[in-house]
Structures are given as structure tokens and as C-alpha cells.
Amino acid sequence: MKVIGADVVVTSPTRNFVTLKLTTDEGLTGLGDATLNGRELAAAAYLREHVAPLLVGRDPGRIEDTWQYLYRGAYWRRGPVTMAAIAAVDMALWDIKGKAAGMPVYQLLGGASRDGLLAYGHASGMSFESLDESIHMHLERGYRAIRVQSAIPGVRAVYGVAAQAQATGERYDYEPAGRGAAPVEEDWDTAAYLRHIPKVFEHVRQQFGAELPLLHDGHHRLRPIEAAKLGRSLEPYDLFWLEDCTPAESQQALRLVRRHTVTPLAIGEVFNAVWDFQQLISEQLIDYVRAAATHFGGITPLRKLMDYAAQYQIRSGFHGPTDVSPVGLAAQLHVGLAIHNFGIQEYMPHSDLTDEVFRQSMRFAGGYLHPGETPGLGVELDEQLAARLPYKPAYLPVSRLHDGTMHDW
Ligand code: GCO
Ligand code: MG
């Protein structure tokens, strides 16, 4: 079998997605996700200009070799643009291999290690009341684990806290930044945040009991000693995890956090290679790996990362926001089903229009996700509909302290 076509589709149903479609001489096609939120066109150009021409004529069965060719061969290793592009190729090749074998990809990875993947949803509120409403709504939809984010008194706009209408709406495929030529600016006050968040979790535990798994995302905003303080102050509320408490490119900063708190830590949604995790895993500085197949070079390295993490009893918590396309989500559902050290899967449902552009075999029932039994990844792209929904500039917000200083994301 040979690859005869490598096409890049950029489409924007409710947000922008970059998809690679490989076509083979035997008529099989494969899809891969290279969506890089806010930098979509860079990933699309990397694929179109530098990768697609290299793929035509190659044997699609040689997944490992193609991955190494693109990773080692480029000279310029790693980085989010490169690794998103490689991820798309890797996923598309697994998709083709699954279709050729007549099996869902998880079967090729060793078969299912469980019946379904425990998923967590995003609840948030501008007040305790609206937060409670949002949690109730998620429980009604079947979620059995909830990420809790809250507005902070004295802070105008907190990232990840949906406005009221969105928090209670049917779907929450919101783009916190909205669309536009430049990022919107939000504000931030770490001291106010550290004072308020423990009260939020105290309230939620009182309302929803001791058993509901609760998660929280710090969005990389704290210095190590602040993160340590937050982790410690949340211990009475028994979090499933505290995510991205510090900007994690300084892996050793986590030593300090770890010294002071037993709140489990999750990190890595912005990481793109195993090297970003090396110290965190080998020193057991985290409990959950937040990588996304889309930003980590695809299924092949994600599987290897999880096997490495397994030696340290570290589990998966793959990044599943709406800016990972249904193709990228499918890729990590197959990995999550197959590996032994699965922990939890983030799940933010895409909009109805996105679900029309990408038809998925994946299902969510009773709080659990399953990639389905369709051969390959189980996602079909409606190219005609995709072509009618062109790219629109959209950016994540930035945040500034009240004196105007740019803050960590
Ligand atoms: C999460 C994330 C997202 C990211 C977004 C950036 O945990 O789901 O932090 O909300 O901010 O994916 O592109
Ligand atoms: Mg996050």
C-alpha cells in the first residue's frame, strides 16, 4: 500500500480545527488532528509545505519509521508546531492501519484494559449558586467526576469560568477568548485566588458530599510556594487532582510543591515530548500525565510515555478540551482504553456543528467514554461541510495583574 494523497483541511464549525487526510492507493483514508489553538495556520503550513510532500509514495504501514523520520529527520526537534504536525501524520497512519486490519485502533494497541473511560466535565460558576447549578447539570448529564472553577471576588474575568448562559446551556463549546484578530485581556490576582478557592471547595464538599471526584485547574498561574500553599489548603477537600499549578517548564519547581502537599498533581497539556516529563516522572513529582495525543506527536509517543509513567505508578489524565478535534480525542480514547495505567479522561463535548463535520463512533454514557468498534479511529470527516466553514482568527485570552504586568497564562 502507498500514500497517494496528503491533504490538510482547516475548518471552523464553532472553533478552528486542522485535520490531515491521507489517502492510499488501495482507497483507504486516514485522519489526524494537528489543531494548535491560536496557532492553527502555523501547524497547517508546516504540514502542507514541509510534511505532505514527504508522505506521498510512502508505505502507510510503517508508523514507527515515519514518526522517527519526521522527528529525527527535521533536525529541529520538538516544539508545539512540529509535534502537532507529526501527531496528525501518526494518527492518520494508525487510522489506516486499523481500517486495513478491520479493527478499532485500541485492538492494535493490545485490546481493552477496561470497559469504559471515566470522564470528567467542566463545571464553573460566577457564584456558589450558579456553580451548584452547573455541577447539578453535569451530574444529570451522567458525569461522575467534575472539574470545579469559580469566579474570584475582585477579579473581573477568570479563564475557564463560563459566563452564566454558557455554564447552564446545553453545550459548552465556548471559546473563552471569542473570535477576533487579537487576544482579549483578562485580569488576575493571585492573593485573592488563594483566599477564595478553598472556600469554594469547602462549599462544594458540603453540597455534594465526600465521594464525588473533584478536580481543579490552576492554569499555570502560581509560583511554586503559592502552589504548595494552595495544595495544602485544599487537602481537607480531597481533590482528585490539582492541575497545572505552576508553569511547568521548570520541572524542578514541582519538588518544592511536592514537599508541602499531598494533593495529587496533574501536569502536561502544553508538553510535546517525553523530555518535558522526564524529571516529573522519574522523581514522581506528578500523579497524572496531561498530554494530548494532538500536541504530543500522536498515538505512538503517547503510548510510550504511558508505559514509562507506569513504572512510577503515574496514570493518564489526557487533555480533552474542545480545541482538541474529535479526531484527536478519538486517538487518546483508543490509547486510554488500551493502557493499564489509565486515570481519567477530560471530556468537553463539541458543538453540534462540529459533530456534523466530524462524525464519531465514540460514545459517552453513564459517565464513561468509549471509542466504539468502528475500524480505525472511528471518525469520518464531512469535507463538503468543512469547506463551507472557513478558518476564523481566534485567540486564547492573556491575563494581566491589576498594575498591568503580564502574568503567566
Ligand atoms: C483544560 C485546559 C484548556 C486549555 C485550552 C488551551 O484543562 O482543559 O486548560 O482549557 O486552556 O485547551 O488551548
Ligand atoms: Mg488545563
Side-chain angles (χ1 to χ4, degrees):
M1 203 175 353
K2 275 191 172 30
V3 174
I4 56 166
D7 300 298
V8 180
V9 176
V10 180
T11 184
S12 192
T14 32
R15 56 189 315 156
N16 297 309
F17 297 111
V18 179
T19 309
L20 174 70
K21 180 184 173 191
L22 296 183
T23 309
T24 67
D25 55 352
E26 294 185 14
L28 291 177
T29 57
L31 297 178
D33 179 27
T35 305
L36 196 55
N37 196 6
R39 296 292 183 273
E40 295 88 354
L41 299 185
Y46 190 108
L47 272 173
R48 266 189 196 124
E49 307 297 327
H50 303 294
V51 174
L54 306 177
L55 298 175
V56 175
R58 290 183 74 87
D59 173 359
R62 296 182 62 168
I63 300 177
E64 178 71 27
D65 180 61
T66 303
W67 195 94
Q68 300 295 345
Y69 176 73
L70 295 173
Y71 180 80
R72 293 173 195 274
Y75 187 74
W76 309 105
R77 296 186 186 187
R78 305 164 62 184
V81 176
T82 300
M83 298 311 284
I86 297 178
V89 176
D90 184 79
M91 288 178 205
L93 295 179
W94 278 104
D95 196 16
I96 291 170
K97 198 179 271 297
K99 288 177 182 170
M103 288 182 192
V105 167
Y106 78 81
Q107 290 289 6
L108 305 180
L109 298 173
S113 285
R114 58 194 50 77
D115 302 329
L117 305 173
L118 178 68
Y120 74 88
H122 288 201
S124 64
M126 303 300 287
S127 62
F128 283 2
E129 293 68 33
S130 63
L131 176 59
D132 291 353
E133 243 177 77
S134 175
I135 296 175
H136 278 299
M137 180 194 74
H138 284 82
L139 296 175
E140 280 157 25
R141 285 185 195 166
Y143 283 101
R144 294 181 183 196
I146 310 278
R147 187 185 91 161
V148 172
Q149 306 296 118
S150 166
I152 307 295
V155 180
R156 191 172 39 85
V158 177
Y159 179 73
V161 179
Q164 198 80 355
Q166 292 160 323
T168 53
E170 259 310 292
R171 290 290 177 108
Y172 50 162
D173 195 10
Y174 62 92
E175 284 171 309
R179 295 182 174 194
V184 298
E185 301 214 347
E186 297 183 341
D187 55 337
W188 185 251
D189 180 340
T190 301
Y193 170 78
L194 292 177
R195 279 194 303 272
H196 190 64
I197 287 296
K199 295 182 200 154
V200 172
F201 279 90
E202 182 185 26
H203 167 82
V204 173
R205 275 289 174 232
Q206 275 167 6
Q207 297 297 310
F208 295 89
E211 284 166 26
L212 181 64
L214 297 176
L215 302 84
H216 179 68
D217 192 344
H219 289 300
H220 328 258
R221 302 227 164 154
L222 305 176
R223 293 194 293 260
I225 199 67
E226 295 164 343
K229 184 176 179 183
L230 179 63
R232 186 181 279 184
S233 63
L234 291 174
E235 281 171 17
Y237 315 113
D238 190 25
L239 264 60
F240 185 96
W241 80 34
L242 170 61
E243 174 187 343
D244 285 338
C245 57
T246 55
E249 57 262 43
S250 168
Q251 298 192 14
Q252 64 184 18
L254 270 293
R255 284 185 185 154
L256 193 148
V257 182
R258 211 47 156 178
R259 227 171 9 247
H260 296 287
T261 181
V262 292
T263 292
L265 302 176
I267 283 196
E269 66 182 48
V270 300
F271 290 174
N272 46 70
V274 68
W275 306 103
D276 300 326
F277 279 106
Q278 193 181 32
Q279 186 178 5
L280 296 181
I281 290 178
S282 63
E283 292 187 26
Q284 280 174 313
L285 298 178
I286 55 170
D287 302 281
Y288 296 93
V289 158
R290 287 285 289 149
T294 304
H295 305 125
F296 199 74
I299 291 171
T300 302
L302 193 61
R303 172 66 200 248
K304 292 178 189 178
L305 173 69
M306 290 318 301
D307 288 344
Y308 172 46
Q311 312 309 310
Y312 300 88
Q313 293 174 286
I314 293 170
R315 297 191 290 159
S316 69
F318 300 146
H319 189 209
T322 44
D323 50 280
V324 163
S325 91
V327 179
L329 179 66
Q332 55 200 37
L333 295 186
H334 286 279
V335 175
L337 198 64
I339 57 176
H340 178 255
N341 53 334
F342 169 80
I344 200 165
Q345 173 66 47
E346 180 178 23
Y347 178 50
M348 290 176 78
H350 287 103
S351 70
D352 291 338
L353 190 54
T354 300
D355 288 348
E356 268 181 64
V357 174
F358 297 92
R359 287 184 303 271
Q360 305 163 62
S361 62
M362 175 278 283
R363 54 179 191 270
F364 175 63
Y368 288 82
L369 288 156
H370 193 286
E373 300 302 336
T374 306
L377 291 174
V379 183
E380 293 294 322
L381 177 67
D382 183 336
E383 286 176 78
Q384 283 171 355
L385 182 54
R388 295 207 299 272
L389 303 164
Y391 168 81
K392 291 187 185 143
Y395 292 98
L396 285 161
V398 298
S399 72
R400 288 186 189 275
L401 303 182
H402 290 155
D403 68 358
T405 308
M406 270 293 298
H407 193 56
D408 286 306
W409 200 86

